[in-house]
Coordinates of all heavy atoms in Angstrom, one line a residue:
M1 N -6.2 3.2 -24.9 CA -5.4 4.2 -25.4 C -4.0 4.1 -24.8 O -3.8 4.1 -23.6 CB -6.0 5.6 -25.2 CG -5.2 6.7 -25.7 SD -6.1 8.3 -25.4 CE -4.9 9.4 -25.9
M2 N -2.9 4.0 -25.6 CA -1.6 3.9 -25.1 C -1.0 5.3 -24.9 O -1.3 6.2 -25.7 CB -0.7 3.1 -26.0 CG -1.1 1.7 -26.2 SD -0.8 0.7 -24.7 CE 0.8 0.1 -25.1
N3 N -0.2 5.4 -23.9 CA 0.5 6.7 -23.7 C 2.0 6.4 -23.6 O 2.5 5.3 -23.6 CB -0.1 7.5 -22.6 CG 0.1 6.7 -21.2 OD1 1.0 6.0 -21.1 ND2 -0.8 7.0 -20.3
D4 N 2.8 7.5 -23.4 CA 4.2 7.4 -23.3 C 4.6 6.5 -22.1 O 5.7 6.0 -22.0 CB 4.9 8.8 -23.1 CG 4.7 9.5 -24.4 OD1 4.5 8.9 -25.5 OD2 4.8 10.8 -24.4
K5 N 3.8 6.4 -21.1 CA 4.1 5.6 -19.9 C 4.3 4.1 -20.2 O 4.9 3.4 -19.4 CB 3.1 5.8 -18.8 CG 3.0 7.3 -18.4 CD 3.1 7.4 -16.9 CE 3.0 8.9 -16.5 NZ 4.0 9.3 -15.6
S6 N 3.7 3.6 -21.2 CA 3.7 2.2 -21.5 C 5.2 1.7 -21.7 O 5.5 0.5 -21.6 CB 2.9 1.9 -22.7 OG 3.4 2.5 -23.9
T7 N 6.1 2.6 -22.1 CA 7.5 2.2 -22.3 C 8.3 2.3 -21.0 O 9.4 1.8 -21.0 CB 8.1 3.1 -23.4 OG1 8.1 4.4 -23.0 CG2 7.4 2.9 -24.7
E8 N 7.7 2.8 -20.0 CA 8.5 3.0 -18.7 C 8.8 1.7 -18.0 O 9.5 1.7 -17.0 CB 7.8 4.0 -17.8 CG 7.9 5.4 -18.4 CD 7.4 6.5 -17.4 OE1 7.5 6.2 -16.2 OE2 7.0 7.5 -17.8
V9 N 8.2 0.6 -18.4 CA 8.5 -0.6 -17.7 C 10.0 -1.0 -17.7 O 10.5 -1.5 -16.8 CB 7.6 -1.8 -18.3 CG1 8.0 -3.1 -17.7 CG2 6.2 -1.5 -18.1
I10 N 10.6 -0.6 -18.8 CA 12.1 -0.8 -18.9 C 12.9 0.3 -18.4 O 14.1 0.2 -18.3 CB 12.5 -1.2 -20.4 CG1 12.1 0.0 -21.3 CG2 11.9 -2.5 -20.8 CD1 12.6 -0.2 -22.7
N11 N 12.3 1.4 -18.0 CA 13.0 2.6 -17.5 C 13.3 2.4 -16.0 O 12.4 2.1 -15.2 CB 12.0 3.8 -17.7 CG 12.7 5.1 -17.4 OD1 13.5 5.2 -16.5 ND2 12.3 6.1 -18.1
P12 N 14.5 2.7 -15.6 CA 14.9 2.6 -14.2 C 14.0 3.4 -13.3 O 13.8 3.1 -12.1 CB 16.4 3.0 -14.1 CG 16.8 2.9 -15.5 CD 15.7 3.1 -16.4
K13 N 13.5 4.5 -13.8 CA 12.7 5.4 -13.0 C 11.4 4.7 -12.6 O 10.8 5.0 -11.6 CB 12.4 6.7 -13.7 CG 13.5 7.6 -13.8 CD 13.2 8.9 -14.5 CE 14.4 9.8 -14.7 NZ 14.0 11.0 -15.4
F14 N 11.0 3.7 -13.4 CA 9.7 3.0 -13.1 C 9.9 2.2 -11.8 O 9.0 2.2 -11.0 CB 9.4 2.1 -14.3 CG 8.2 1.2 -14.0 CD1 6.9 1.8 -14.1 CD2 8.3 -0.1 -13.7 CE1 5.8 1.0 -13.8 CE2 7.2 -0.9 -13.5 CZ 5.9 -0.3 -13.5
K15 N 11.1 1.5 -11.6 CA 11.3 0.8 -10.4 C 11.3 1.7 -9.2 O 10.8 1.3 -8.1 CB 12.6 0.0 -10.5 CG 12.6 -1.2 -11.4 CD 13.9 -2.0 -11.3 CE 13.8 -3.2 -12.2 NZ 15.0 -4.1 -12.1
I16 N 11.9 2.8 -9.3 CA 11.9 3.8 -8.2 C 10.5 4.2 -7.9 O 10.1 4.3 -6.7 CB 12.8 5.0 -8.6 CG1 14.2 4.6 -8.7 CG2 12.6 6.1 -7.5 CD1 15.2 5.6 -9.3
H17 N 9.7 4.5 -8.9 CA 8.3 4.9 -8.7 C 7.5 3.8 -8.0 O 6.8 4.1 -7.0 CB 7.6 5.1 -10.1 CG 6.1 5.4 -10.0 ND1 5.6 6.6 -9.5 CD2 5.1 4.6 -10.3 CE1 4.3 6.5 -9.5 NE2 4.0 5.3 -10.0
V18 N 7.7 2.5 -8.4 CA 7.0 1.4 -7.7 C 7.4 1.3 -6.3 O 6.6 1.1 -5.4 CB 7.2 0.1 -8.5 CG1 6.7 -1.1 -7.7 CG2 6.6 0.1 -9.9
H19 N 8.7 1.4 -6.0 CA 9.2 1.3 -4.6 C 8.6 2.5 -3.8 O 8.2 2.3 -2.7 CB 10.7 1.4 -4.6 CG 11.3 1.4 -3.3 ND1 11.6 2.6 -2.6 CD2 11.6 0.4 -2.4 CE1 12.1 2.3 -1.4 NE2 12.1 1.0 -1.2
D20 N 8.6 3.7 -4.4 CA 8.1 4.8 -3.6 C 6.6 4.7 -3.3 O 6.2 5.0 -2.2 CB 8.3 6.1 -4.4 CG 9.8 6.5 -4.5 OD1 10.6 5.9 -3.8 OD2 10.1 7.4 -5.3
C21 N 5.9 4.1 -4.3 CA 4.4 3.9 -4.0 C 4.2 2.9 -2.9 O 3.4 3.1 -2.0 CB 3.7 3.4 -5.3 SG 3.5 4.7 -6.6
R22 N 5.0 1.8 -3.0 CA 4.9 0.7 -2.0 C 5.2 1.3 -0.6 O 4.6 1.0 0.4 CB 5.8 -0.4 -2.4 CG 5.6 -1.7 -1.6 CD 6.5 -2.8 -2.0 NE 6.3 -3.2 -3.3 CZ 7.2 -3.7 -4.1 NH1 8.4 -3.8 -3.7 NH2 6.9 -4.1 -5.4
S23 N 6.3 2.1 -0.5 CA 6.7 2.7 0.7 C 5.7 3.7 1.3 O 5.4 3.7 2.5 CB 8.0 3.4 0.6 OG 9.1 2.5 0.3
T24 N 5.1 4.5 0.4 CA 4.1 5.5 0.8 C 2.9 4.8 1.4 O 2.3 5.1 2.4 CB 3.7 6.4 -0.4 OG1 4.9 7.1 -0.8 CG2 2.6 7.4 0.0
I25 N 2.4 3.8 0.7 CA 1.2 3.0 1.1 C 1.5 2.3 2.4 O 0.7 2.4 3.4 CB 0.7 2.0 0.0 CG1 0.2 2.8 -1.2 CG2 -0.3 1.1 0.6 CD1 0.0 1.9 -2.4
G26 N 2.6 1.7 2.6 CA 3.0 1.0 3.8 C 3.0 2.0 5.0 O 2.6 1.7 6.1
D27 N 3.6 3.2 4.7 CA 3.7 4.2 5.8 C 2.4 4.7 6.2 O 2.1 4.9 7.4 CB 4.6 5.4 5.3 CG 5.0 6.3 6.4 OD1 5.4 5.8 7.5 OD2 4.8 7.5 6.2
E28 N 1.5 4.9 5.3 CA 0.1 5.3 5.6 C -0.6 4.3 6.4 O -1.4 4.6 7.3 CB -0.7 5.7 4.3 CG -0.2 7.0 3.7 CD -0.2 8.2 4.6 OE1 -1.3 8.4 5.2 OE2 0.8 9.0 4.6
I29 N -0.5 3.0 6.0 CA -1.1 1.9 6.8 C -0.6 1.9 8.2 O -1.4 1.8 9.1 CB -0.9 0.6 6.1 CG1 -1.7 0.5 4.8 CG2 -1.2 -0.6 7.0 CD1 -1.4 -0.7 3.9
R30 N 0.7 2.1 8.4 CA 1.3 2.1 9.7 C 0.7 3.3 10.5 O 0.3 3.1 11.7 CB 2.8 2.3 9.7 CG 3.5 2.3 11.1 CD 4.9 2.7 11.0 NE 5.2 3.9 10.2 CZ 5.0 5.1 10.7 NH1 4.5 5.3 11.9 NH2 5.3 6.2 9.9
K31 N 0.6 4.4 10.0 CA 0.1 5.6 10.7 C -1.4 5.4 11.1 O -1.7 5.7 12.2 CB 0.1 6.9 9.8 CG 1.5 7.4 9.6 CD 1.5 8.6 8.6 CE 2.9 9.1 8.3 NZ 2.9 10.1 7.2
I32 N -2.2 4.8 10.2 CA -3.6 4.5 10.5 C -3.7 3.5 11.6 O -4.4 3.6 12.6 CB -4.4 4.1 9.3 CG1 -4.4 5.3 8.3 CG2 -5.8 3.6 9.7 CD1 -4.9 4.9 6.9
R33 N -2.9 2.4 11.5 CA -2.8 1.4 12.5 C -2.5 1.9 13.9 O -3.2 1.6 14.9 CB -1.8 0.2 12.1 CG -1.7 -0.8 13.2 CD -0.6 -1.8 12.9 NE 0.7 -1.3 12.7 CZ 1.5 -0.9 13.7 NH1 1.1 -0.9 14.9 NH2 2.7 -0.4 13.4
E34 N -1.4 2.7 13.9 CA -1.0 3.3 15.2 C -2.1 4.3 15.8 O -2.3 4.3 17.0 CB 0.3 4.0 15.0 CG 1.5 3.1 14.8 CD 2.8 3.8 14.5 OE1 2.8 5.0 14.2 OE2 3.9 3.1 14.6
K35 N -2.7 5.0 14.9 CA -3.7 6.0 15.4 C -4.9 5.2 16.0 O -5.5 5.6 16.9 CB -4.2 6.8 14.2 CG -5.1 7.9 14.6 CD -5.4 8.9 13.4 CE -6.2 10.1 13.9 NZ -6.5 11.0 12.8
K36 N -5.2 4.0 15.4 CA -6.3 3.1 16.0 C -5.8 2.5 17.3 O -6.7 1.9 18.0 CB -6.6 2.1 15.0 CG -7.3 2.6 13.7 CD -8.7 2.8 13.9 CE -9.4 3.2 12.6 NZ -10.8 3.5 12.8
G37 N -4.5 2.5 17.6 CA -4.0 1.9 18.8 C -3.8 0.4 18.7 O -3.7 -0.3 19.7
Y38 N -3.7 -0.1 17.4 CA -3.4 -1.5 17.2 C -1.9 -1.8 17.1 O -1.2 -1.1 16.4 CB -4.1 -2.0 15.9 CG -5.6 -1.9 15.9 CD1 -6.2 -1.8 14.6 CD2 -6.4 -2.0 17.0 CE1 -7.6 -1.7 14.5 CE2 -7.7 -1.9 16.9 CZ -8.4 -1.8 15.7 OH -9.7 -1.7 15.6
S39 N -1.5 -2.9 17.7 CA -0.1 -3.3 17.5 C -0.1 -4.1 16.2 O -1.2 -4.5 15.7 CB 0.3 -4.3 18.6 OG -0.4 -5.5 18.6
Q40 N 1.1 -4.4 15.7 CA 1.2 -5.2 14.5 C 0.6 -6.6 14.8 O -0.1 -7.2 13.9 CB 2.6 -5.3 14.0 CG 3.1 -4.1 13.3 CD 4.6 -4.2 12.8 OE1 5.3 -5.2 13.2 NE2 5.0 -3.3 12.0
E41 N 0.9 -7.1 15.9 CA 0.4 -8.4 16.3 C -1.1 -8.5 16.4 O -1.7 -9.4 15.8 CB 1.0 -8.8 17.7 CG 0.8 -10.2 18.1 CD 1.6 -11.2 17.3 OE1 2.8 -10.9 17.0 OE2 1.0 -12.3 17.0
H42 N -1.7 -7.5 16.9 CA -3.2 -7.5 17.0 C -3.8 -7.4 15.6 O -4.8 -8.1 15.3 CB -3.6 -6.3 17.9 CG -5.1 -6.2 18.0 ND1 -5.9 -7.0 18.8 CD2 -6.0 -5.3 17.5 CE1 -7.1 -6.7 18.8 NE2 -7.3 -5.7 17.9
L43 N -3.3 -6.5 14.8 CA -3.9 -6.4 13.4 C -3.6 -7.7 12.7 O -4.5 -8.1 11.9 CB -3.2 -5.2 12.7 CG -3.7 -4.9 11.3 CD1 -5.2 -4.7 11.3 CD2 -3.0 -3.7 10.7
A44 N -2.5 -8.3 12.8 CA -2.2 -9.5 12.1 C -3.2 -10.6 12.5 O -3.7 -11.4 11.7 CB -0.8 -10.0 12.4
H45 N -3.5 -10.7 13.8 CA -4.5 -11.6 14.3 C -5.9 -11.4 13.7 O -6.5 -12.3 13.3 CB -4.5 -11.6 15.8 CG -5.5 -12.5 16.4 ND1 -5.3 -13.9 16.5 CD2 -6.7 -12.3 17.0 CE1 -6.4 -14.4 17.1 NE2 -7.3 -13.5 17.4
M46 N -6.3 -10.1 13.7 CA -7.6 -9.8 13.1 C -7.6 -10.2 11.6 O -8.7 -10.7 11.2 CB -7.8 -8.3 13.2 CG -8.0 -7.8 14.7 SD -8.0 -6.0 14.9 CE -9.1 -5.4 13.6
M47 N -6.6 -9.9 10.9 CA -6.5 -10.1 9.4 C -6.2 -11.6 9.1 O -6.3 -12.0 7.9 CB -5.6 -9.2 8.8 CG -6.0 -7.7 8.8 SD -4.7 -6.6 8.1 CE -4.7 -7.1 6.4
K48 N -5.8 -12.4 10.1 CA -5.3 -13.8 9.9 C -4.1 -13.9 8.9 O -4.1 -14.7 8.0 CB -6.5 -14.6 9.4 CG -7.6 -14.7 10.4 CD -8.6 -15.7 10.1 CE -9.8 -15.8 11.0 NZ -9.7 -15.4 12.4
I49 N -3.2 -13.0 9.2 CA -1.9 -13.0 8.5 C -0.8 -12.9 9.5 O -1.1 -12.6 10.7 CB -1.8 -11.9 7.4 CG1 -1.8 -10.5 8.0 CG2 -2.8 -12.1 6.3 CD1 -1.6 -9.4 7.0
S50 N 0.4 -13.1 9.2 CA 1.5 -13.0 10.1 C 1.9 -11.6 10.5 O 1.7 -10.7 9.6 CB 2.8 -13.8 9.6 OG 3.4 -13.1 8.6
R51 N 2.4 -11.4 11.6 CA 2.9 -10.1 12.0 C 4.1 -9.6 11.1 O 4.2 -8.5 10.8 CB 3.4 -10.1 13.5 CG 3.7 -8.6 14.0 CD 4.8 -8.6 15.1 NE 6.0 -9.3 14.7 CZ 7.0 -8.8 14.0 NH1 6.9 -7.6 13.4 NH2 8.1 -9.5 13.8
T52 N 4.9 -10.6 10.7 CA 6.0 -10.3 9.8 C 5.5 -9.7 8.5 O 6.1 -8.8 8.0 CB 6.8 -11.6 9.6 OG1 7.2 -12.2 10.8 CG2 8.0 -11.4 8.7
T53 N 4.4 -10.2 8.0 CA 3.8 -9.7 6.8 C 3.4 -8.3 7.0 O 3.7 -7.4 6.1 CB 2.6 -10.6 6.3 OG1 3.1 -11.9 6.0 CG2 2.0 -10.0 5.0
I54 N 2.8 -8.0 8.1 CA 2.4 -6.6 8.4 C 3.6 -5.7 8.4 O 3.6 -4.6 7.8 CB 1.7 -6.5 9.8 CG1 0.4 -7.3 9.8 CG2 1.4 -5.0 10.2 CD1 -0.8 -6.7 9.2
S55 N 4.7 -6.1 9.1 CA 5.9 -5.4 9.1 C 6.5 -5.1 7.8 O 6.9 -4.0 7.4 CB 6.9 -6.1 10.0 OG 8.1 -5.4 10.1
K56 N 6.6 -6.2 6.9 CA 7.1 -6.0 5.6 C 6.3 -5.0 4.8 O 6.9 -4.2 4.0 CB 7.2 -7.4 4.9 CG 8.3 -8.2 5.4 CD 8.3 -9.6 4.7 CE 9.4 -10.5 5.3 NZ 9.3 -11.8 4.6
I57 N 5.0 -5.1 4.9 CA 4.1 -4.2 4.1 C 4.3 -2.8 4.6 O 4.5 -1.8 3.8 CB 2.6 -4.6 4.2 CG1 2.4 -5.9 3.4 CG2 1.7 -3.5 3.7 CD1 1.1 -6.6 3.7
E58 N 4.3 -2.5 5.9 CA 4.5 -1.2 6.4 C 5.9 -0.6 6.1 O 6.0 0.6 6.0 CB 4.3 -1.2 7.9 CG 2.9 -1.4 8.4 CD 2.7 -1.4 9.9 OE1 3.7 -1.3 10.6 OE2 1.5 -1.4 10.3
N59 N 6.8 -1.5 5.9 CA 8.2 -1.0 5.5 C 8.5 -1.0 4.0 O 9.6 -0.7 3.6 CB 9.2 -1.8 6.2 CG 9.3 -1.6 7.7 OD1 9.5 -0.4 8.1 ND2 9.0 -2.6 8.5
G60 N 7.4 -1.2 3.2 CA 7.6 -1.2 1.8 C 8.4 -2.3 1.2 O 8.9 -2.2 0.1
K61 N 8.5 -3.4 1.9 CA 9.4 -4.5 1.5 C 8.6 -5.7 1.0 O 9.1 -6.8 0.8 CB 10.3 -4.9 2.6 CG 11.1 -3.8 3.1 CD 12.4 -4.2 3.7 CE 13.2 -3.1 4.3 NZ 13.9 -2.2 3.4
F62 N 7.3 -5.5 0.8 CA 6.4 -6.7 0.4 C 5.5 -6.2 -0.7 O 4.8 -5.3 -0.5 CB 5.6 -7.2 1.6 CG 4.9 -8.4 1.4 CD1 5.5 -9.6 1.4 CD2 3.5 -8.4 1.2 CE1 4.8 -10.8 1.2 CE2 2.7 -9.5 1.0 CZ 3.4 -10.7 1.1
N63 N 5.5 -6.9 -1.8 CA 4.6 -6.6 -2.9 C 3.3 -7.3 -2.7 O 3.1 -8.5 -2.9 CB 5.2 -7.1 -4.2 CG 4.4 -6.8 -5.4 OD1 3.4 -6.1 -5.4 ND2 4.8 -7.4 -6.6
F64 N 2.4 -6.5 -2.1 CA 1.1 -7.2 -1.7 C 0.0 -6.9 -2.7 O 0.1 -6.0 -3.5 CB 0.7 -6.7 -0.3 CG 0.5 -5.2 -0.1 CD1 -0.8 -4.8 -0.1 CD2 1.5 -4.4 0.1 CE1 -1.1 -3.4 0.1 CE2 1.3 -3.0 0.3 CZ 0.0 -2.5 0.3
S65 N -1.0 -7.7 -2.6 CA -2.1 -7.6 -3.6 C -3.2 -6.6 -3.2 O -3.2 -6.1 -2.0 CB -2.8 -9.0 -3.7 OG -3.5 -9.3 -2.5
I66 N -4.1 -6.4 -4.1 CA -5.3 -5.6 -3.8 C -6.1 -6.2 -2.7 O -6.8 -5.5 -1.9 CB -6.1 -5.3 -5.1 CG1 -5.3 -4.4 -6.0 CG2 -7.5 -4.7 -4.8 CD1 -5.9 -4.2 -7.4
D67 N -6.1 -7.5 -2.7 CA -6.9 -8.2 -1.6 C -6.3 -7.8 -0.2 O -7.1 -7.6 0.7 CB -6.8 -9.7 -1.8 CG -7.5 -10.2 -3.0 OD1 -8.3 -9.4 -3.6 OD2 -7.3 -11.4 -3.4
Y68 N -5.0 -7.8 -0.1 CA -4.5 -7.3 1.2 C -4.9 -5.9 1.5 O -5.2 -5.5 2.6 CB -2.9 -7.4 1.2 CG -2.4 -8.7 1.6 CD1 -1.7 -9.6 0.7 CD2 -2.4 -9.1 2.9 CE1 -1.2 -10.8 1.0 CE2 -1.8 -10.3 3.3 CZ -1.3 -11.2 2.4 OH -0.7 -12.3 2.7
L69 N -4.8 -5.0 0.5 CA -5.1 -3.6 0.6 C -6.6 -3.5 1.1 O -6.9 -2.7 2.0 CB -4.9 -2.8 -0.6 CG -5.1 -1.3 -0.6 CD1 -4.3 -0.7 0.5 CD2 -4.8 -0.7 -1.9
S70 N -7.4 -4.3 0.5 CA -8.9 -4.3 0.9 C -9.1 -4.8 2.3 O -9.9 -4.2 3.0 CB -9.6 -5.3 -0.1 OG -9.6 -4.8 -1.4
K71 N -8.3 -5.8 2.7 CA -8.3 -6.2 4.1 C -7.9 -5.1 5.1 O -8.6 -4.9 6.1 CB -7.4 -7.4 4.4 CG -8.0 -8.7 3.9 CD -7.1 -9.9 4.4 CE -7.7 -11.2 4.2 NZ -6.9 -12.3 4.7
F72 N -6.8 -4.4 4.8 CA -6.4 -3.3 5.6 C -7.5 -2.3 5.7 O -7.8 -1.7 6.7 CB -5.1 -2.7 5.1 CG -3.9 -3.4 5.4 CD1 -3.1 -4.1 4.4 CD2 -3.4 -3.4 6.7 CE1 -2.0 -4.7 4.8 CE2 -2.2 -4.1 7.0 CZ -1.5 -4.7 6.1
S73 N -8.1 -2.0 4.5 CA -9.2 -1.0 4.5 C -10.3 -1.4 5.4 O -10.9 -0.5 6.1 CB -9.6 -0.8 3.0 OG -10.8 0.0 2.9
W74 N -10.7 -2.6 5.4 CA -11.8 -3.1 6.2 C -11.5 -3.1 7.7 O -12.2 -2.5 8.4 CB -12.1 -4.6 5.8 CG -13.2 -5.2 6.6 CD1 -13.0 -6.0 7.7 CD2 -14.6 -5.0 6.4 NE1 -14.2 -6.4 8.2 CE2 -15.2 -5.8 7.4 CE3 -15.4 -4.3 5.5 CZ2 -16.6 -5.9 7.5 CZ3 -16.8 -4.4 5.6 CH2 -17.3 -5.1 6.6
F75 N -10.3 -3.6 8.1 CA -10.0 -3.7 9.5 C -9.5 -2.4 10.1 O -9.7 -2.2 11.3 CB -9.0 -4.8 9.7 CG -9.6 -6.2 9.5 CD1 -9.3 -7.0 8.4 CD2 -10.4 -6.7 10.5 CE1 -9.8 -8.2 8.2 CE2 -11.0 -8.0 10.3 CZ -10.7 -8.8 9.2
L76 N -9.0 -1.5 9.3 CA -8.6 -0.2 9.8 C -9.5 0.9 9.5 O -9.3 2.0 9.9 CB -7.2 0.1 9.3 CG -6.0 -0.8 9.7 CD1 -4.7 -0.4 9.0 CD2 -5.9 -0.7 11.2
D77 N -10.6 0.6 8.7 CA -11.7 1.5 8.5 C -11.2 2.7 7.7 O -11.3 3.9 8.2 CB -12.4 1.9 9.8 CG -13.7 2.6 9.5 OD1 -14.4 2.3 8.5 OD2 -14.1 3.4 10.3
F78 N -10.7 2.5 6.5 CA -10.3 3.6 5.7 C -10.8 3.4 4.2 O -11.0 2.2 3.9 CB -8.8 4.0 5.7 CG -7.9 2.9 5.2 CD1 -7.6 2.9 3.8 CD2 -7.3 2.0 6.0 CE1 -6.7 1.9 3.3 CE2 -6.4 1.1 5.5 CZ -6.1 1.0 4.2
N79 N -10.9 4.4 3.4 CA -11.3 4.3 2.0 C -10.1 4.2 1.2 O -9.1 4.8 1.5 CB -12.2 5.5 1.6 CG -13.5 5.5 2.2 OD1 -14.2 4.4 2.3 ND2 -14.0 6.6 2.6
I80 N -10.2 3.5 0.1 CA -9.2 3.5 -0.9 C -9.6 4.4 -2.1 O -10.7 4.3 -2.6 CB -9.0 2.0 -1.5 CG1 -8.6 1.1 -0.3 CG2 -7.9 2.0 -2.6 CD1 -8.7 -0.4 -0.7
T81 N -8.7 5.3 -2.4 CA -9.0 6.3 -3.4 C -7.9 6.3 -4.5 O -6.7 6.2 -4.1 CB -9.1 7.7 -2.8 OG1 -10.1 7.7 -1.8 CG2 -9.5 8.7 -3.9
I82 N -8.2 6.4 -5.7 CA -7.2 6.6 -6.8 C -7.4 8.0 -7.4 O -8.6 8.4 -7.7 CB -7.4 5.5 -7.9 CG1 -7.2 4.1 -7.3 CG2 -6.5 5.8 -9.1 CD1 -7.5 3.0 -8.3
S83 N -6.3 8.7 -7.5 CA -6.4 10.0 -8.1 C -5.3 10.2 -9.1 O -4.2 9.6 -9.0 CB -6.4 11.1 -7.0 OG -5.2 11.0 -6.3
P84 N -5.5 11.0 -10.1 CA -4.5 11.2 -11.1 C -3.3 12.1 -10.6 O -3.5 12.8 -9.6 CB -5.2 12.0 -12.2 CG -6.3 12.7 -11.5 CD -6.7 11.8 -10.4
F85 N -2.2 11.9 -11.2 CA -1.0 12.8 -10.8 C -1.3 14.2 -11.0 O -1.0 15.1 -10.2 CB 0.2 12.4 -11.7 CG 0.8 11.1 -11.3 CD1 1.0 10.2 -12.3 CD2 1.2 10.8 -10.1 CE1 1.6 9.0 -12.1 CE2 1.8 9.6 -9.8 CZ 2.0 8.7 -10.8
N86 N -2.0 14.5 -12.1 CA -2.5 15.9 -12.3 C -3.7 15.9 -13.2 O -4.1 14.8 -13.8 CB -1.4 16.7 -13.0 CG -0.9 16.1 -14.3 OD1 -1.7 15.8 -15.2 ND2 0.4 15.9 -14.5
D87 N -4.4 17.0 -13.3 CA -5.6 17.0 -14.1 C -5.5 16.8 -15.6 O -6.4 16.4 -16.3 CB -6.4 18.4 -13.9 CG -6.9 18.5 -12.4 OD1 -7.1 17.4 -11.8 OD2 -7.1 19.6 -12.0
E88 N -4.3 17.0 -16.1 CA -4.0 16.9 -17.5 C -4.0 15.4 -18.0 O -4.0 15.1 -19.2 CB -2.7 17.6 -17.9 CG -2.7 19.1 -17.7 CD -1.4 19.7 -17.8 OE1 -0.5 19.0 -18.4 OE2 -1.2 20.8 -17.4
S89 N -3.9 14.5 -17.0 CA -3.8 13.1 -17.4 C -5.1 12.5 -17.9 O -5.2 11.4 -18.3 CB -3.2 12.2 -16.3 OG -4.1 12.2 -15.2
Y90 N -6.2 13.2 -17.7 CA -7.5 12.7 -18.2 C -7.9 13.3 -19.5 O -7.7 14.3 -19.9 CB -8.6 13.1 -17.1 CG -8.6 12.1 -16.0 CD1 -8.3 12.5 -14.7 CD2 -9.0 10.8 -16.2 CE1 -8.3 11.6 -13.7 CE2 -9.0 9.9 -15.1 CZ -8.6 10.3 -13.9 OH -8.6 9.4 -12.9

């Protein structure tokens, strides 16, 4: 079922939304990492990726895949949840 959001790909607000989501996810990953007491270097070693990649993800500057998100979830021990913006979207 198509909705009005399908046309937002060309809308400038869409780019802002994507950036905001990326920044929010990166910030949450950083908070969880710090709460666990892991440095970026330590987490990068565990995940077998570069520390620079961790930094870019945490700062919302890297378009990462669901595979990366799954790795973060595994190594930092958190659940991934998807929820609607509001109840009316269902």
Side-chain angles (χ1 to χ4, degrees):
M1 180 176 172
M2 296 291 266
N3 61 30
D4 292 337
K5 299 231 181 225
S6 62
T7 60
E8 288 192 24
V9 174
I10 57 173
N11 187 325
K13 290 181 181 180
F14 179 75
K15 285 186 177 185
I16 294 168
H17 173 75
V18 170
H19 176 268
D20 290 349
C21 287
R22 192 181 294 152
S23 295
T24 299
I25 292 168
D27 192 47
E28 289 301 315
I29 288 171
R30 179 189 53 77
K31 288 175 186 175
I32 294 167
R33 175 186 58 76
E34 289 176 345
K35 190 172 185 179
K36 295 275 186 186
Y38 296 153
S39 66
Q40 287 182 345
E41 190 70 40
H42 180 73
L43 182 58
H45 178 74
M46 291 168 50
M47 293 176 63
K48 299 191 183 327
I49 61 175
S50 73
R51 188 212 53 82
T52 304
T53 298
I54 300 278
S55 177
K56 287 178 181 178
I57 289 169
E58 288 183 356
N59 289 302
K61 304 209 184 279
F62 187 78
N63 181 9
F64 64 98
S65 69
I66 291 173
D67 292 347
Y68 273 109
L69 185 57
S70 297
K71 280 185 170 186
F72 280 110
S73 173
W74 177 262
F75 289 106
L76 294 176
D77 193 32
F78 65 85
N79 290 319
I80 301 168
T81 304
I82 297 174
S83 58
F85 288 126
N86 58 50
D87 291 336
E88 295 173 17
S89 65
Y90 280 113

